[in-house]
Amino acid sequence: MERRAFLQRPLAGGPIKPAQPATPSLLDQASPFANTTLPVRTSAATATTLAPYTGPWSAAQAAHLLRRCLFGPTRAEIQMAATTTLAATLDKLLTPAATPGPPLNISAADTTVPLGQTWVGQPFDQTLEGARRTSLRDWWLGLQLSQGTSLTEKMTLFWHNHFVVEFGDINSAQYGYAYARLLRQHALGNVRQLATDVTVNPAMLRYLNGNASTAAAPNENYGRELLELFTLGKGPLIGAGNYTTYTEADVQAAAKVLTGWRDDAATVAGYFTASRHDTSTKQFSAAFGNARIAPNGAGEYQDLINLIFRQPATAAFLVRKLYRWFVYYVIDAQVESDIIQPLAALLIASNYEVAPVLRALFSSEHFFDAANVGCLIKSPLDFVVGVCRQLELALPPASNYLGQYGVWDYLYGLGVVQQQSLGDPPNVAGWVAYYQAPQFHELWINAVTLPRRNQATDLFIGTGITKSGFAFKADPVALVQALPAATAQDPNLVIAEFVRLMVPIDLTASQLAFLKNALIPGLPDFEWTSEWSQFLATPTNTAKRAAVQSKLQAMLRALAGLAEYQLS
């Protein structure tokens, strides 16, 4: 299959008629050119396996790995990875990041703590909830910007899209912080333990009504999503209420297991009330080997998680979601047999530690197959955070926390208008781009979001924004000054450097000519060389700096406007 076929559209015959989506409103947002059926491989060119990658290791391969594992790798990060080895780079990526400090109070209306100190641990106050929730979301986005070279932040977002809660629904920034901290704690750790802990996390108890589930009225919401979305997934329907991997009777049994749990706003924790718990023996279907969970009070939910994670379908379901997040959305028979099933077996053999699975995937020939390079459309957060990191927009110092949070809040808003609200996926299934067949990630690009993306890059390359006296904008002149002198004075080499940094696939000769014309419209190469040399001779001369800066800004705007820039 041609995994980047969406870059070429039919020139005649009108737009392709979209397929009817599961949610009627989705296609109103999607491009009329988005998939109507899943792509089908037409050759064996991508029939690669988990065999260790033995090809070249250079900046190109390092950039591919880091683009998938980080939010917009910088030139320095790519160069550093390229000078080491794949194994050493994976060691860094799979090292958990240090635990960050908590979010801060940035609202003068919140007098419970001084400005610049954390509100975490303060009693719930509905009048302050909006300000605290804003602080929480902004803090989370700030962590993505300062991610370093660890997979922690990318995996934290993955688990947020998997074990979904919506901050707006739970209406407690304290709960939201406890939830985000839990995801980050287990981001590169044990998924079974994460599933266990999130089951009685106060945010999840409130989000899926586990806090209202009693023996007299078991609530099925969490039990259903635990089986369908968080662990086993639905298999083929083989009978009324029988989804192969579980049945409706299993949902009901799981709901009974989970009765009695409540959330405590004072302690920001889940707790168990025995008098509200169903004390019967819970019978599960043949899908679970007709297993039973005996009365075990507060320990039953752990028995349930252990039962679920003994099913091979759980490991395969989790691996498929990781594959779609990091590699590509089509899982055909060859990928299922050669990639998914071996990784699922590894996940089980690793006692559900996720790091060995990620290492095996990222060090495989399959991951570095040319067909898997530059074939994903960036999510809005990948796009927004990535452009800031790759163009090295300097952040306000920690002493200017109002400026920091102001910048983070602006970037959070850019994600929202591009249809990815950090902390608030649209529903319990997460963002539709990760599950809605056959469009998947093509849903990120539509008539609303594409102009927003272009406006964002134009803004940061141009005037930037100012928050609390701090100007947040790209400095393309400084970026070129950091290049080797011989590179900086050659317009072709300057363009090539930015293309390698910002675009995951090779551009055509005509595209490179287009970028060169944006840099030096109709002029010979020596004009750039001369102008750059004059600037270097008098770098404090504002006119000479402005001359090279305006040219670089024009070229970068043109580069960010290419369809290829939307790819990872």
Side-chain angles (χ1 to χ4, degrees), residues 234-457:
K234 279 185 177 179
L237 183 66
I238 58 175
N242 187 338
Y243 313 110
T244 305
T245 53
Y246 68 93
T247 69
E248 283 295 317
D250 294 325
V251 172
Q252 295 159 12
K256 292 177 181 178
V257 167
L258 297 166
T259 54
W261 284 92
R262 308 181 76 178
D263 62 288
D264 187 331
T267 61
V268 191
Y271 69 98
F272 182 74
T273 303
S275 63
R276 293 163 59 95
H277 179 63
D278 184 310
T279 59
S280 66
T281 296
K282 287 77 178 179
Q283 177 70 57
F284 287 81
S285 75
F288 293 87
N290 298 309
R292 295 183 177 187
I293 291 181
N296 189 23
E300 281 186 37
Y301 83 97
Q302 296 173 339
D303 297 335
L304 174 62
I305 296 297
N306 289 335
L307 174 62
I308 291 170
F309 275 78
R310 284 199 294 270
Q311 311 308 309
T314 295
F317 180 76
L318 292 167
V319 166
R320 290 185 196 105
K321 292 198 73 171
L322 286 167
Y323 184 87
R324 288 194 168 107
W325 185 269
F326 285 113
V327 183
Y328 192 56
Y329 61 83
V330 174
I331 298 176
D332 59 17
Q334 184 267 328
V335 170
E336 179 68 26
S337 64
D338 294 346
I339 308 297
I340 303 302
Q341 291 303 321
L343 288 177
L346 177 59
L347 184 59
I348 294 169
S350 303
N351 197 30
Y352 282 94
E353 293 289 335
V354 74
V357 172
L358 294 173
R359 183 181 294 273
L361 177 61
F362 294 142
S363 60
S364 71
E365 64 177 12
H366 181 75
F367 182 78
F368 289 98
D369 189 312
N372 292 326
V373 177
C375 63
L376 289 181
I377 293 176
K378 296 173 188 172
S379 74
L381 287 170
D382 256 328
F383 182 88
V384 170
V385 177
V387 68
C388 295
R389 297 190 79 252
Q390 291 198 312
L391 295 182
E392 300 182 32
L393 277 67
L395 286 165
S399 58
N400 184 2
Y401 59 87
L402 291 177
Q404 276 192 337
Y405 275 76
V407 167
W408 297 341
D409 190 64
Y410 187 85
L411 298 178
Y412 164 78
L414 290 181
V416 171
V417 298
Q418 294 174 34
Q419 299 173 358
Q420 189 176 29
S421 300
L422 183 60
D424 285 279
N427 58 61
V428 70
W431 287 290
V432 294
Y434 299 110
Y435 68 83
Q436 181 63 62
Q439 295 87 12
F440 287 97
H441 60 225
E442 295 192 23
L443 289 165
W444 289 131
I445 301 293
N446 56 62
V448 173
T449 62
L450 184 57
R452 295 291 192 179
R453 291 185 178 219
N454 293 336
Q455 290 163 9
T457 51

